Amino acid sequence: MPRLGIALDLGTSGFRGQAIDLDQGGKIISTAITTRHPLPGANVMDHLHFALEVGVSYAHDVVVMAVNDVINNLNVHRNQVERVAVCGNPIQLSLFQNIEIRDLAYAGKRKLDALGVIPPNRDSRIVKAPEISGLDIPSTAVVLIPPAVRHEIGADALAMLIQTGILESDTIAIVTDYGTNNEMALVAGGAVYTGSTAAGPALEGQHIEDGLLALPGAIADIEFVDSYSELILPGYRRMDSQHIKVYVLNEDMRLVTGDTVDSATGSLIEKGKMAALGITGTGVVALICEGLKSRLIRIPQITTQDRMLHLPDGLRFTEKDLAEAGKAIGAVRAGHITLCHEAGIRLEDIQIAYCSGASGTYVDALKAQQIGMIPSGVKQIFQVGNTSLSMARDLVRDENELWRMKDIASKLRQNHCMFAESKVFEKIYILEIAYWTEGMPMTQYQKFLKKYGFPALNQVVAPPQVIRTVERDIQDLGEKGLRIIDDIGEHRRAVFLNCLCDMACINECPEKALYLETHDQGAVISINLALCDGVACRRCERACKDKVFDLIALITSSDRP
């Protein structure tokens, strides 16, 4: 019976886990990933807000039940598990451990002192499994928890720095984990400048009408193919339309050719190898880049007759999707500019860019650079995969890596920029919002940059060298392969007396997280926590005419369907 280890990446958009054979040199056995995060909401601030509203212990229970589900789907005997390593941002790891989170929610020592908050020690730890309440592994197993550099810079950001090797770089370089939370770090002059921007889930395919995480069936890249007809001058033909050719992730998470369709109608032009179920963030990036070049997109508008771009299999991309994606792309560029300002350098001084995470792996790096997600002057772009899961694997295979992380964290000369408090970030992001959602011309954007004393945004002069160090964000899925967990959410239900049963709350929910059954005394309403947009949304409550619906009461109900 082999001894087993479990590597876990507790990401903002979902959890990823791998089973490791400790007796065979750390060989990967299997992989399991979730399609969403188990807590309500689409970003880390939603998860933090939820935990503050319902209690950390409740949020911890939901997180650990999801972790148990991931381990169950790894197709190994859990009684053989001897070691578990987790990696993630400070909020996710704090919820996993069931420790204080208010120091992550409120800024300023005076505020924390008034609340009686004592920030916990987020250093490297090895704990016995029973210390993580509800974790269903043998009581003799240990759990390895990596350190945070500071409470804003977590183990996932530290993993990004270590796994890319950027700390050893003798040139100016930047690394970005493209996703919902967008951690980034700039290395210049021997110092590290870090930041994190809640760009939103669009870069991972969420909050897009036909969006999908990077899963089998997701459109991950797109090309526009010109269609020409009659000869109008010698050597020149009239261009009839733009055809959209898509590339889809298959069951092994590799790109294969999807269908080619007419962009204006969605009618099939050429059949591909695989049908599409949705479009992920990298597909959105490619679609925007290609749409801008073809002028089918003129920000903030789509210039087709029905104001949308048609994709294979009935999928479509709307102007609302364009605005949602633009806000996320703008947050990335604003973060990059802000870190450069902190370091006293220009964007074009950056020579190397590292792209991590699923979006950073599958995105066409040159297309991402064209729309501003990667600095224009870089000479090399490295696409490096899921560094958080890679770090967890290294910890499982060798406990000494935990203390190496601690040593690096303690010695790291870093300068963290709180973008939420940065006037530079605020000014740049306002310009980005005006550009992406209001159609402010880039010439006007540049005038404001000059007025503020910020460097101009230069165009890409020469395409950089792109080095893919991995084919997919999780390079080795193991001999038993990948299992996808579609429903990771806890389900709760409650009876609401005097409910009109008019479906107002159900119809108002943007994520279709609610279900209703009639009852003699009112209504039984059920909720899927993973689908819910979080306690900051509450559109369901506002839609209730008789004000009998209580979202918190429903979420915290002990009644499960």
Side-chain angles (χ1 to χ4, degrees), residues 13-24:
S13 61
F15 292 174
R16 294 165 176 82
Q18 292 193 299
I20 311 291
D21 189 331
L22 299 179
D23 290 330
Q24 294 194 41

Side-chain angles (χ1 to χ4, degrees), residues 54 83 126 128 242 256 307 339 356 361 384 391:
V54 304
R83 190 182 304 154
I126 299 179
K128 288 289 188 181
Q242 293 281 339
V256 298
R307 300 293 189 185
L339 290 187
S356 69
T361 301
V384 297
M391 194 76 248

Side-chain angles (χ1 to χ4, degrees), residues 365-372 374-378 381 457-464:
L366 298 182
K367 292 172 184 171
Q369 187 186 40
Q370 286 290 335
I371 63 173
I374 297 173
S376 60
V378 300
I381 300 173
L457 291 175
N458 295 326
Q459 292 186 332
V460 178
V461 177

